Amino acid sequence: VMKPLSTLPMCKPSDTLKHAITLLLNSRQQAVLVFDENGAYYGVITPRCAVQALACDVPGDSGVAVWLRRMEAEMPRQVAPETALLEAAQVMTTYNVHHLVVKDPYAEPAAAPVGVLSSLDLARGMASMYCHSPFVSLGWLWLCRGPAACMLQSE
């Protein structure tokens, strides 16, 4: 149900919040994963981070690392790949977050991210359990079959 790591934009802890938010906009994704120069996972930036930074009057040239230290201390944002959808939903609602980083505790480097689960991914996954034909993300259709696959009527 999650978005795999290879489909998500990434930045470095030394990048600015403005750069990370620009990546969100340009990639049309709702999460930017942050990795250091050695490839170690550092955190995740989401649209909620952008809104919170704006509300707190944080300058756009502030470093991603500083912001993440503050945010990651406030709430857990990680689940394991084998986490049940219901459990992931409980984490999202308990901590009022819309994105969870899926980290494999057995991967190398230790606990490496393998993807991101959004609340929309979760809703699609839950809905597909009760449908004869599972929901397919329009984004995935777009990638696999091109823009025409996402239209209600063909041209």
Side-chain angles (χ1 to χ4, degrees), residues 116-131:
V116 170
L117 178 68
S118 72
S119 53
L120 182 57
D121 297 331
L122 187 80
R124 287 180 179 142
M126 300 281 275
S128 69
M129 293 186 327
Y130 303 105
C131 295

Side-chain angles (χ1 to χ4, degrees), residues 31-143:
V32 172
L33 292 176
V34 183
F35 290 90
D36 70 15
E37 292 74 21
N38 300 318
Y41 172 72
Y42 206 87
V44 61
I45 298 288
T46 66
R48 178 184 175 162
C49 297
V51 171
Q52 287 176 319
L54 181 65
C56 295
D57 204 25
V58 175
D61 60 353
S62 296
V64 167
V66 174
W67 180 255
L68 284 176
R69 266 187 241 118
R70 176 180 170 195
M71 296 307 299
E72 295 293 319
E74 292 179 15
M75 66 190 92
R77 297 187 72 161
Q78 302 170 11
V79 292
E82 63 275 1
T83 302
L85 292 180
L86 180 58
E87 187 180 341
Q90 289 170 335
V91 171
M92 286 181 180
T93 57
T94 299
Y95 295 98
N96 195 26
V97 295
H98 296 278
H99 297 85
L100 297 173
V101 176
V102 181
K103 291 179 82 174
D104 185 350
Y106 307 107
E108 290 297 329
V114 293
V116 170
L117 178 68
S118 72
S119 53
L120 182 57
D121 297 331
L122 187 80
R124 287 180 179 142
M126 300 281 275
S128 69
M129 293 186 327
Y130 303 105
C131 295
H132 293 293
S133 59
F135 275 75
V136 177
S137 165
L138 291 179
W140 289 109
L141 266 176
W142 185 288
L143 289 173

